[in-house]
Amino acid sequence: MLRKSGTLRRQPALWRRCRSLRQIKQVHALMVLRGFLSDPSALRELIFASAVAVRGGIAHARLVFDRIPHPDRFMYNTLIRGAAHSDAPRDAVSIYARMARRRGDCGGVRPDKLTFPFVLRACAAMGAGGTGAQVHAHVVKAGCESDAFVRNALIGMHASCGDLGVAAALFDSGARGDAVAWSAMISGCARRGDIGAARELFDESPVKDLVSWNVMITAYAKRGEMALARELFDRVPDRDVVSWNAMISGYVRSGSHRHAMELFEQMQCVGEKPDTVTVLSLLSACADSGDLDVGQRLHSYLSERFSRTGLTTVLGNALIDMYAKCGSMKNAHEAFWAMRDKDVSTWNSIIGGLALHGHVNESIDLFEKMLKGNVKPDEITFVAVLVACSHGGMVDKGHKYFNLIQQRYRIEPNVKHYGCMVDMLSRAGLLKEAFEFIDTMKVEPNSVIWRTLLGACRIHGEVELAEHANRELLKAKSDASGDYVLLSNIYASVGEWLGSEKMRKLMDDTGVNKEAGRAVIDGSSKDLMQSSR
C-alpha cells in the first residue's frame, strides 16, 4: 500500500486507506521518515484513523497525539471522541482536562460545541456526576448550552449520574420536541436503575427513535424481564443489530439458550448481519449449556465469515473456551492453532481446558511453548498449569512452576495458587508436606484448602491430620455438612466408630443436616480453575 506512495498530500485521505492498526503503523512510519510534524493535515488524518476509523487504535492515537507539541482543536476533539467510545472513558476526561489547562497558554485551544458532548458522554459512562457538573459549568461559560447536541449530552449525563432536577429542567426548556432529548432522558433513568420512570417517559414520548426502543429492551433484558423485553422487541418498527443483541444476550443470561438460538436463526433469515457481540453471547450460551452441536455450527459460520482475515482474538478465545467447556479438546486444540493472533487469554483457555480434561502432558507442553514464545504468563496461566501438575502427579514440576511465579515473573501468589499446590501435594499423598506448606503461605488458607486436605485425609486414612483440618474448617465457620460427613467417614474407615458417631451427633447438635442425595465430591481443582476465569 505504501511502496508506490508519492507525497501524502496527493493521496486519498489516510483514514480511507487504513483498514487495520498495522496499516496505520505503516503510514505512521512513512510520516516519520518524511518529517513527522511537516504535514499537519496528515497528522489530523492519522489521529482520526487511529482514534475513530479503525477499531482498537485509540492507544496508538494517544501515542501520536503525545508527540505533537501543539495539537489543534480537531486533534483534541478527535482523541476525546475516540476515548469516550473506548473501554477507558476516563482518558477522554484527562485529555479534556489537559485541553482546559492549556487554553490560556500561548498556542492553547478552547473547547467548543464539538468537544463537550463526548466529554459528557465519558462522564456518564464513568458515573462521574461531579466531574460532569464541572464540565457543565464550562459549557455555560463557553456559551454552548443552547446547542442541541450539547444540551442533549447534558440531559443524558445528568439523568444517568448527575442532578436529575437539572436534567428535567433542561428537558422541559425547549427540548421536548427533540427525539434525541427523549432518548437521553429515557437512557439516563434506565442507567440509574429507575426503569419505571424510564418506561413512563418512553410511553409518553411522541416520537420514539430506535435508541429509545433499544434502551428499554436492553434495560428489561438486563433485569431478566424477558417477557417485557420481548413485547417491546416485537413492536420495534425497524430493528438493528443492537435490538437483536439485547434480546439474545438477555436470553443467554436468563438461561433460555433455546430462545437465544431461535432468535439468531431468525436474525439471519431477515437479513440482519450478526456482529461480534451476537456471536460471543451465543458461544457463551453453548459453553454454559454444553451444546456442542450448536457451537460447531457457530464455528462454521465464523469460519465462513472470516475466511479471508481469520478470526479476531476475542472470537477465537471464546471459541476455545466453548469447546473446552463442552469437553471437545480436539476442536479446542484445532481452533487454537488456527488463530493468527494469540494473547495470554488464548493460551490460558487452552492450557486450562487441557488440564481440567486430563490432558496433562499436552497442557504442560503448551505452557512450555508459551514461555519459549516470549508470551508473558499471568496469574491465571499459573493456576492452569498448577492444576495440570496436580492432576498429573507432577510434584517437582509443580514446585518449579510455583517458584517461577515470584522469582521470574514478579507475580504475588494468591490463594488459588496456594490451593493448587496443596491439592497437588494431597493428591500425591504428601499430606505432611501439604500441612507444612500451609504454614509457609503468605495468605490465610480458606475453607477450600482445608476441605481439600480433609478429603485427602479420608483417602489416606490420616485421622490426626483430618482432625486438625476439621478444626481449621470450624474456625472458618464452615457449616457445610460434607465436612462433618468426611471426618465421620474417616473415623469409620479406620474402625474408630466412637469418633464417627461423635461427628454425627455433633451435626445434629449444631443443626447441620446433610442434604438428601448430596454426595461429597473432590472438585477443588475445577473450582479453582473456574474461579480464575
Side-chain angles (χ1 to χ4, degrees), residues 462-528:
E462 290 282 357
V463 176
E464 187 178 339
L465 293 177
E467 289 174 340
H468 175 52
N470 193 64
R471 282 195 298 272
E472 295 298 333
L473 268 175
L474 293 175
K475 285 181 188 176
K477 298 182 180 178
S478 170
D479 58 358
S481 61
D483 303 336
Y484 292 91
V485 174
L486 269 175
L487 188 54
S488 173
N489 290 344
I490 292 168
Y491 282 125
S493 68
V494 295
E496 293 191 18
W497 302 108
L498 186 61
S500 178
E501 184 59 31
K502 180 181 176 182
M503 292 310 300
R504 297 283 179 175
K505 186 174 184 303
L506 183 60
M507 285 177 65
D508 294 335
D509 292 343
T510 55
V512 176
N513 295 309
K514 182 178 182 291
E515 295 177 20
R518 181 177 174 184
V520 180
I521 302 171
D522 176 20
S524 53
S525 295
K526 186 176 181 180
D527 291 339
L528 285 163

Side-chain angles (χ1 to χ4, degrees), residues 49-267:
S50 304
V52 178
V54 174
R55 190 172 180 176
I58 186 65
H60 189 78
R62 184 66 185 265
L63 179 68
V64 173
F65 181 84
D66 287 340
R67 294 184 178 179
I68 300 173
H70 302 292
D72 61 23
R73 185 183 287 114
F74 177 87
M75 295 173 183
Y76 271 111
N77 287 350
T78 301
L79 195 61
I80 290 170
R81 173 184 172 184
H85 285 88
S86 74
D87 295 331
R90 187 176 300 277
D91 290 347
V93 177
S94 68
I95 297 160
Y96 170 74
R98 173 177 164 182
M99 184 183 191
R101 280 195 306 269
R102 292 188 174 185
R103 66 187 175 193
D105 299 344
C106 180
V109 294
R110 291 181 179 276
D112 64 2
K113 64 183 181 181
L114 298 179
T115 313
F116 295 118
F118 297 113
V119 181
L120 291 165
R121 176 192 172 93
C123 292
M126 294 160 52
T131 303
Q134 293 178 41
V135 176
H136 190 170
H138 295 174
V139 168
V140 174
K141 189 174 180 181
C144 295
E145 198 175 23
S146 60
D147 179 82
F149 195 25
V150 176
R151 181 196 60 210
N152 291 340
L154 284 168
I155 291 171
M157 185 279 295
H158 280 297
S160 64
C161 63
D163 189 326
L164 198 54
V166 173
L170 287 165
F171 182 62
D172 289 332
S173 60
R176 283 183 168 267
D178 187 339
V180 177
W182 282 94
S183 297
M185 283 295 293
I186 293 166
S187 178
C189 291
R191 186 174 289 181
R192 277 183 188 266
D194 193 346
I195 197 169
R199 183 60 190 263
E200 285 181 21
L201 284 163
F202 178 79
D203 291 338
E204 186 186 345
S205 174
V207 181
K208 300 175 179 65
D209 62 8
L210 184 54
V211 174
S212 298
W213 286 96
N214 286 343
V215 164
M216 290 307 307
I217 293 168
T218 303
Y220 281 129
K222 283 184 176 178
R223 289 163 62 101
E225 299 180 31
M226 294 309 298
L228 289 170
R230 187 60 185 259
E231 180 255 326
L232 289 178
F233 178 79
D234 289 338
R235 287 169 48 199
V236 179
D238 294 299
R239 304 177 187 123
D240 64 359
V241 70
V242 176
S243 318
W244 292 92
N245 286 349
M247 288 300 300
I248 290 171
S249 61
Y251 278 132
V252 170
R253 279 194 298 270
S254 61
S256 302
H257 300 143
R258 179 175 63 83
H259 287 109
M261 284 307 304
E262 286 174 355
L263 267 189
F264 175 63
E265 291 171 1
Q266 185 182 342
M267 181 182 189

Side-chain angles (χ1 to χ4, degrees), residues 284-296:
S284 174
C286 294
D288 292 341
S289 63
D291 196 332
L292 181 59
D293 289 340
V294 174
Q296 288 176 321

